[in-house]
Amino acid sequence: METPREPHFFKPLLPGFHSGVAIPLDFYSKHIQGAEINKPWKLRSDASDQIWEVIREGRTLTKGWKEFTEAHDLRIGDIVIFKHEGDMVFHVTPFGPSCCEILWSDADDAPTFSYDYCFLAEVTPTNQKDDKMFLPVEAMRCGALNQQCKEVKLVNKEGKSWTARFGFSESDGAYYISRGWRKFCRDNRCTNGDLFVFNVVGDGTTTPLLCVCPERKECTELLIKHFSRIDGSIASTSRN
């Protein structure tokens, strides 16, 4: 039986985020609407033992949110994940623009999210036509992914996200993304041959994020290896 997942949502921080952050409509409708209006949200993080109380006005977190962002040095481009632990208590995990978890020297708890696996994806005529893109077999070792996962969020460099179906192919022994891959490619104006380096972010229970992340050293190395293989193939062909 699939383990129930804690309700969660994530928000990319855009200009003006200090004044308030909007709760996604889908999350609000399923988990918040109808709750006591004046009951503040209690936000906690791995930064300290402090609990921040933040007022919700409709679908927006307002009073108290600015103090939380300043205490955590949040900036434009960061991605913040809210995990609902019940009774309006949320564990908040911030990630930098490269989708690496933001850590603090005084944190007592080890990070709960995995963010150290990157893979290279190429846009091809076949995976666009089939609306299906396979992940490398090595992705089986990524702690953020498992066969119980049914969907992922594809996040571009601007923080915009697309929901896609996630599955596992027994015959290929690999994970795949479908029903959303083609739209992601179309909306990002991709052409055949375009390359994306995705960084996988998740904890094995919540919906994983696949973030486009070309800035990290590991991601750059993947691209270098990819083009080295291409160059090697061309050189080998020219010698024959």
Side-chain angles (χ1 to χ4, degrees):
M1 180 180 296
E2 184 175 347
T3 303
R5 302 187 175 198
E6 292 178 300
H8 69 283
F9 67 92
F10 73 95
K11 291 290 295 184
L13 300 183
L14 304 176
F17 72 88
H18 286 101
S19 62
V21 62
I23 304 165
L25 180 59
D26 183 62
F27 183 91
Y28 177 80
S29 300
K30 290 180 180 178
H31 306 289
I32 305 300
Q33 194 169 26
E36 186 178 343
I37 296 177
N38 296 325
K39 187 170 186 177
W41 283 26
K42 296 182 179 180
L43 307 184
R44 69 180 193 87
S45 71
D46 290 332
S48 71
D49 295 328
Q50 182 176 347
I51 301 294
W52 283 264
E53 290 196 352
V54 179
I55 300 300
R56 173 178 67 84
E57 298 180 17
R59 285 201 302 117
T60 304
L61 298 180
T62 56
K63 187 177 180 180
W65 170 248
K66 181 178 180 180
E67 289 73 16
F68 179 86
T69 64
E70 292 177 342
H72 292 79
D73 194 25
L74 299 183
R75 305 176 185 183
I76 294 171
D78 290 346
I79 296 175
V80 184
I81 298 178
F82 295 77
K83 184 186 292 186
H84 190 200
E85 299 180 327
D87 198 28
M88 296 300 109
V89 176
F90 289 80
H91 182 273
V92 182
T93 305
F95 290 81
S98 62
C99 295
C100 290
E101 186 174 357
I102 299 172
L103 304 179
W104 301 274
S105 58
D106 58 348
D108 295 325
D109 300 325
T112 57
F113 277 73
S114 167
Y115 52 89
D116 56 359
Y117 177 69
C118 295
F119 70 92
L120 186 67
E122 181 175 0
V123 179
T124 69
T126 300
N127 64 34
Q128 286 203 83
K129 176 178 178 294
D130 297 342
D131 196 12
K132 191 173 188 178
M133 191 274 292
F134 280 91
L135 278 64
V137 175
E138 292 78 13
M140 294 293 296
R141 298 196 293 266
C142 177
L145 305 173
N146 57 64
Q147 295 184 35
Q148 285 69 50
C149 178
K150 301 303 180 186
E151 70 175 25
V152 294
K153 297 282 188 180
L154 305 175
V155 185
N156 69 8
K157 289 185 291 184
E158 288 71 41
K160 184 177 180 181
S161 69
W162 289 258
T163 300
R165 180 183 174 186
F166 186 77
F168 176 75
S169 170
E170 295 284 353
S171 59
D172 296 286
Y175 294 127
Y176 63 85
I177 300 167
S178 63
R179 297 184 186 177
W181 169 249
R182 182 192 297 137
K183 180 171 176 54
F184 173 83
C185 293
R186 181 184 301 125
D187 290 352
N188 285 277
R189 299 180 180 179
C190 300
T191 58
N192 294 327
D194 283 354
L195 298 172
F196 286 104
V197 177
F198 285 103
N199 188 21
V200 183
V201 178
D203 61 0
T205 60
T206 56
T207 301
L209 307 180
L210 274 59
C211 304
V212 175
C213 167
E215 295 86 1
R216 290 185 61 194
K217 176 183 176 183
E218 295 88 341
C219 300
T220 302
E221 289 175 349
L222 277 176
L223 288 171
I224 292 173
K225 289 179 181 178
H226 173 79
F227 287 114
S228 294
R229 287 195 296 269
I230 292 177
D231 293 341
S233 298
I234 293 174
S236 176
T237 301
S238 63
R239 286 194 296 267
N240 293 334

